[in-house]
Amino acid sequence: MKRILEANIIIVFLFLYIPIFVVIVFSFNRGDQISVWEGFSFAWYGKLFKNPNAWRACKNSLIIAGVATFISTVIGTAAALAIEKYRFRLRVGLIRVLFLPMIIPDIVLAIALLTFYRKVIGYPLGLTSVIIAHVVFNIAYVTLVVRARLQGYDASVEEAALDLGANEWQTFWRITFPLIAPGIIGGALLAFTLSIDDFVITFFTAGVGYTTLSVHIHSSIKFGITPELNAISTMLLVNSIVLILLFLWFRGQKTETI
Amino acid sequence: MHRNYRILILLSPVVLWLIIFFFLPLISVFIYSFLKRGTYGGIETQFTLENYQRLFDGIYLGSLWRSVSTAFVCTAICLLVGYPFAYYLAYYRPKFRNVLLMLVVVPFWINFLIRTYAWILILRTEGLLNSSLSLLIPGFQPLELLNTPFAVQIGLVYGYLPFMILPLYVALEQMDLSLIDAAKDLGASPQHAFWHITLPLSLPGILAGSMLVFIPTVGAFLTPDILGGGKVSYIGNVIERQFKTARDFPFGSALSFVLMLIVLAGTVLYFRALRGSESVET
């Protein structure tokens, strides 16, 4: 029995990682075939770095993810503080409502925002329209991560600070904030990753000429796959791995070490 | 009063943002689904049920059914593969358990588009699967795997398997292993102990994992778009077409609203079932 279970583990990992390795290996392919090996080379990375469209898309992705992460981290942290520190009417209702943007299909949120921008308020599609959309789904995730951090922390430290004469503002910045900072940074990193990775919502809410990396990759898949796509994918893979290591490091931070 | 003032300040940004950019758009979709389509992608303000009647056309009902059944199959496959996986980690507690769990989570952080694209390299006619098979089997004829329901199904399982494994592991890991030992001491066979103790106790994990897989797969747009090549239509792609090419916002809105209802119904059923499974435990 144990043998069968171990075989299953190996099969699952092969299934999960073979496709990723295939992309990485073929990004170093010399020829212009995407899945037939013709020798090692960095040629496609050279091409990628000289592609102005890829750079522009990268810049747009970073602007959108950066601004959306900042806004959603502030709003989400405030919401998490209210939910965890106070008991108020509609609290449970609010917690449930905050899950809705996570469970509603991407495509529905995307077309709802598109309809809203185009037909209801007549707002032009551009970078701002994408940022607003990303904040909608990011808030839920930030709130969840920060709430988890607040649940495991001792509120008596704050009371002590207040007893010793600190005002509430000082107490927040000197006591609460440093204690929950790993949760806030963890939430922000998660929001940043989701934002960079998002395709569906960006695809519907971005204006013409505001291509992001995901949209750029999607149109390359649709209208002509070249090994450059493998190179850009590998770059994003490396980026994801750096982000996940940072996330885990911040989430694992003990309060004492702050 | 002071306390209420603080709650108001902390909550007004989230509440305002969600009302304006989440609920208002959803409400407008709901309203639009009852309006008539105008010329050139316009909309006429005239009440009609036409958009909902059109849902019962063979093609639309067909793609709705395809999406729902594909999501069910995907959930079942993830459960069949994920359960033994999580069970092994929780029950045998291998040395590198945390590393193994980490390796399950890593793909979640990698761009979904790239992970889906990777399957093109494997499944296409000149792809890795066909070329490996032709090396192994002489005279092998390459299979047309890409742009088929099979490719979409693989892509979906690949994308959502980690969402099944993690809640299953959490449920199984919390379980008191001495219960199983007790059952065995009392003469239960390992199979009997599994079906009567382990499986019922892990039910909350099964439900959570199934919901996390079912909900995103039923509304999937990207996987069918890339691996189905637009040749097989799923509800997500039909919706996209209404907004991107057909420019029929009212009908697209009606389709979206139905998809949202399916997902919300699934969520409500999940919470009902979860409450049921918890009352069994206590």
Side-chain angles (χ1 to χ4, degrees), chain A residues 15, chain B residues 65-83 112 149-165 168 206 209-220 223-224 234:
Chain A
F15 176 66
Chain B
W65 168 244
R66 184 177 293 118
S67 286
V68 173
S69 59
T70 305
F72 266 117
V73 173
C74 179
T75 311
I77 296 173
C78 287
L79 190 58
L80 284 175
V81 178
Y83 199 94
F112 191 75
F150 169 76
V152 176
Q153 192 77 66
I154 284 208
L156 289 171
V157 171
Y158 184 69
Y160 296 103
L161 183 60
F163 289 88
M164 179 64 91
I165 291 178
L168 281 176
I206 295 176
S210 303
M211 189 184 91
L212 288 175
V213 174
F214 184 82
I215 282 180
T217 45
V218 78
T223 315
Y234 293 78

Side-chain angles (χ1 to χ4, degrees), chain A residues 1-2 5-6 8-9 12-13 15-20 22-23 26 33-36 71 75 78-79 81-83 86-88 94 97-98 100-101 103-105 107-109 111-120 131-132 135-136 139 168 189-190 193-194 196-197 199-200 203-204 213-215 217-218 221-222 225-226 229-230 232-233 236-237 240-241 243-245 247-248, chain B residues 2-3 6-7 9-11 13-15 17-18 20-26 28-29 32 41-43 80-81 84-85 87-89 92 100-115 117-122 124 126-128 154 157-158 161-162 165 211 215 219 221-222 225-226 229-230 236 239-240 243-244 247 249 252-253 256 259-260 263-264 267 275:
Chain A
M1 191 62 202
K2 198 180 171 193
L5 291 174
E6 278 168 345
N8 181 57
I9 299 266
V12 167
F13 279 123
F15 176 66
L16 286 179
Y17 284 92
I18 283 179
I20 296 168
V22 168
V23 171
F26 280 100
Q33 286 288 312
I34 56 164
S35 61
V36 182
I71 299 173
I75 297 180
L81 281 167
I83 289 171
Y86 302 104
R87 295 288 173 272
F88 47 91
L94 179 73
V97 163
L98 273 170
L100 282 178
I103 56 174
I104 274 187
I107 184 100
V108 174
L109 183 56
I111 63 98
L113 280 160
L114 174 74
T115 310
F116 184 67
Y117 289 140
R118 292 277 300 275
K119 307 277 177 188
V120 182
I131 292 170
I132 289 171
V135 173
V136 172
I139 290 176
E168 283 172 40
L189 285 168
L190 183 60
T193 310
L194 289 168
I196 290 270
D197 282 2
F199 164 73
V200 178
F203 185 55
F204 282 89
L213 273 177
S214 287
V215 176
I217 292 173
H218 179 259
I221 295 173
K222 283 280 173 179
I225 300 177
T226 68
L229 195 52
N230 294 335
I232 200 170
S233 300
L236 273 173
L237 278 172
S240 302
I241 288 165
L243 282 173
I244 187 180
L245 290 175
F247 175 79
L248 290 170
Chain B
H2 195 58
R3 175 183 159 277
R6 262 180 288 169
I7 296 175
I9 288 180
L10 289 173
L11 286 182
V14 69
V15 170
W17 202 284
L18 290 184
I20 301 172
F21 299 115
F22 184 68
F23 287 106
L24 279 184
L26 288 180
S28 37
V29 163
Y32 274 53
I43 289 152
L80 284 175
V81 178
F85 188 102
Y87 183 82
Y88 179 81
L89 289 191
Y92 290 99
L100 294 179
L101 271 177
M102 259 285 300
L103 287 172
V104 173
V105 183
V106 168
F108 166 77
W109 286 77
I110 294 169
N111 194 315
F112 191 75
L113 203 56
I114 294 172
R115 286 190 288 145
Y117 157 70
W119 282 95
I120 294 184
L121 303 183
I122 295 173
R124 62 207 287 263
E126 320 82 66
L128 260 87
I154 284 208
V157 171
Y158 184 69
L161 183 60
I165 291 178
M211 189 184 91
I215 282 180
F221 157 70
L222 196 54
D225 185 54
I226 290 178
I239 293 175
E240 182 234 13
F243 287 89
K244 287 267 174 178
R247 325 241 351 103
F249 278 46
S253 300
S256 305
L259 175 60
M260 204 167 73
V263 166
L264 289 179
T267 316
R275 224 170 290 152

Side-chain angles (χ1 to χ4, degrees), chain A residues 81-256:
Chain A
L81 281 167
I83 289 171
E84 290 304 320
K85 288 168 109 23
Y86 302 104
R87 295 288 173 272
F88 47 91
R89 237 167 11 119
L90 299 176
R91 181 175 167 274
V92 178
L94 179 73
I95 293 171
R96 285 193 191 151
V97 163
L98 273 170
F99 277 109
L100 282 178
M102 292 164 104
I103 56 174
I104 274 187
D106 284 357
I107 184 100
V108 174
L109 183 56
I111 63 98
L113 280 160
L114 174 74
T115 310
F116 184 67
Y117 289 140
R118 292 277 300 275
K119 307 277 177 188
V120 182
I121 57 171
Y123 188 77
L125 301 183
L127 283 184
T128 321
S129 55
V130 186
I131 292 170
I132 289 171
H134 282 204
V135 173
V136 172
F137 66 78
N138 275 340
I139 290 176
Y141 290 92
V142 173
T143 310
L144 208 62
V145 176
V146 178
R147 275 184 63 199
R149 181 79 194 185
L150 278 163
Q151 276 160 4
Y153 112 124
D154 186 3
S156 61
V157 202
E158 279 175 17
E159 285 157 26
L162 290 168
D163 284 348
L164 291 170
N167 64 34
E168 283 172 40
W169 196 242
Q170 287 170 323
T171 309
F172 177 77
W173 285 111
R174 310 274 283 264
I175 308 286
T176 317
F177 183 76
L179 283 173
I180 61 167
I184 297 173
I185 298 168
L189 285 168
L190 183 60
F192 190 81
T193 310
L194 289 168
S195 210
I196 290 270
D197 282 2
D198 175 72
F199 164 73
V200 178
I201 288 161
T202 312
F203 185 55
F204 282 89
T205 55
V208 183
Y210 293 96
T211 304
T212 64
L213 273 177
S214 287
V215 176
H216 177 76
I217 292 173
H218 179 259
S219 56
S220 313
I221 295 173
K222 283 280 173 179
F223 310 106
I225 300 177
T226 68
E228 200 181 306
L229 195 52
N230 294 335
I232 200 170
S233 300
T234 306
M235 300 294 297
L236 273 173
L237 278 172
V238 173
N239 176 59
S240 302
I241 288 165
V242 172
L243 282 173
I244 187 180
L245 290 175
L246 280 174
F247 175 79
L248 290 170
W249 189 74
F250 279 113
R251 212 189 48 179
Q253 284 286 295
K254 295 267 188 304
T255 27
E256 291 84 29

